Amino acid sequence: MLDSYHLQVLERSLDAATLRHRTIANNLANIDTPQFKSQQVIFESFLQDELNARAGNGKLEAYRTNQRHLPFGNAGVAVPQVVSNPNNFIQNSGNDVDLEAETTELAKNQIWYSGLTQLTAGHFQKLRSVIEGGGK
Amino acid sequence: MEMSAISQLTPIRTPSVNKPTPAEVSQEFSSFLSDAMDKVNQAQVESSNLADKFAAGEITDVHQLTVAGQKASVMLQMTMQVRNKMIESYQEIMRMSI
């Protein structure tokens, strides 16, 4: 009951939201650091692939750098990944933090996070109300 | 006083439907109940699918999610109240002194 797939998805998404928040805070803190490259968290597309693979509409394929690598299908769990583009720069110091873009991402992430917390709370509330009651 | 109108009334006659047997009634009720349960379950599944999609960033309109979630939760509460009433009435019958 507490290991249901739905709850796992919610938990992992909350992890990703926390990670993204931390990454954005790090980017903003380093807005004046020369040669700093901003970092982004990729998660939603992985989760989408996983959900599609689960529904049977396509496969989550392993990334292969060599043809001789063994392919494996459904990798299972979507894990957030932190990426950055080392060749990108916006300021003259080689830094590529864009204040507006970062604050927009921060706001989006906050809405997403609060939505996820509400869903998780609702899920637990449902479970609790099913458990309680009955012959009083 | 005009009383003739009352004579025009036809006596109430119960419509002659063939009365269902108790077995049929209980069968009907059980299928009705299981249909209702299926509907509740379907609403739960739909709501959690939408929630998964929201987690995957597919849903941009949060209101769809909230409405579906509230629907599912109200249906579940309704079901639980029915369950509670059933158990209550069962206990009431059990307490009855014959």
Side-chain angles (χ1 to χ4, degrees), chain A residues 6 13 48 112 126 132 134, chain B residues 44 52 54-56 58 83-84:
Chain A
H6 177 57
S13 308
Q48 249 170 51
W112 192 54
K126 271 184 204 163
E132 281 170 5
Chain B
Q44 305 299 323
D52 286 352
F54 174 71
E58 274 181 63
R83 175 196 72 174
N84 293 351

Side-chain angles (χ1 to χ4, degrees), chain A residues 5-6 9-10 13 43-45 47-48 51 111-112 115-116 118-119 126 129-130 132-136, chain B residues 44 47-49 51-58 62 65-66 69 72-73 76-77 80 83-84 87 91:
Chain A
Y5 182 70
H6 177 57
V9 167
L10 287 175
S13 308
F43 174 72
E44 280 93 334
S45 52
L47 185 58
Q48 249 170 51
L51 291 174
I111 293 170
W112 192 54
L116 285 174
Q118 277 181 36
L119 287 173
K126 271 184 204 163
S129 52
V130 170
E132 281 170 5
K136 265 168 277 181
Chain B
Q44 305 299 323
S47 140
S48 45
N49 278 346
D52 286 352
K53 276 189 184 164
F54 174 71
E58 274 181 63
V62 191
L65 183 70
T66 349
S73 134
L76 185 70
Q77 275 176 25
M80 258 147 21
R83 175 196 72 174
N84 293 351
I87 291 175
Q91 285 175 343

Side-chain angles (χ1 to χ4, degrees), chain B residues 31-83:
Chain B
S31 71
F32 163 76
L33 205 60
S34 69
D35 276 359
M37 284 297 190
D38 276 351
K39 270 185 197 153
V40 172
N41 190 38
Q42 212 168 340
Q44 305 299 323
V45 170
E46 204 176 295
S47 140
S48 45
N49 278 346
L50 274 178
D52 286 352
K53 276 189 184 164
F54 174 71
E58 274 181 63
I59 292 178
T60 45
D61 309 336
V62 191
H63 65 269
Q64 293 174 358
L65 183 70
T66 349
V67 170
Q70 289 300 315
K71 268 186 199 169
S73 134
V74 165
M75 280 172 94
L76 185 70
Q77 275 176 25
M78 174 78 184
T79 313
M80 258 147 21
Q81 288 305 320
V82 171
R83 175 196 72 174

Side-chain angles (χ1 to χ4, degrees), chain A residues 89-104:
Chain A
F89 67 92
I90 286 174
Q91 303 168 19
N92 284 328
S93 60
N95 187 310
D96 81 333
V97 179
D98 184 355
L99 181 64
E100 279 85 13
E102 296 291 339
T103 38
T104 312

Side-chain angles (χ1 to χ4, degrees), chain B residues 22-32:
Chain B
E24 274 173 4
V25 170
S26 72
Q27 185 61 41
E28 235 169 62
F29 180 69
S30 98
S31 71
F32 163 76

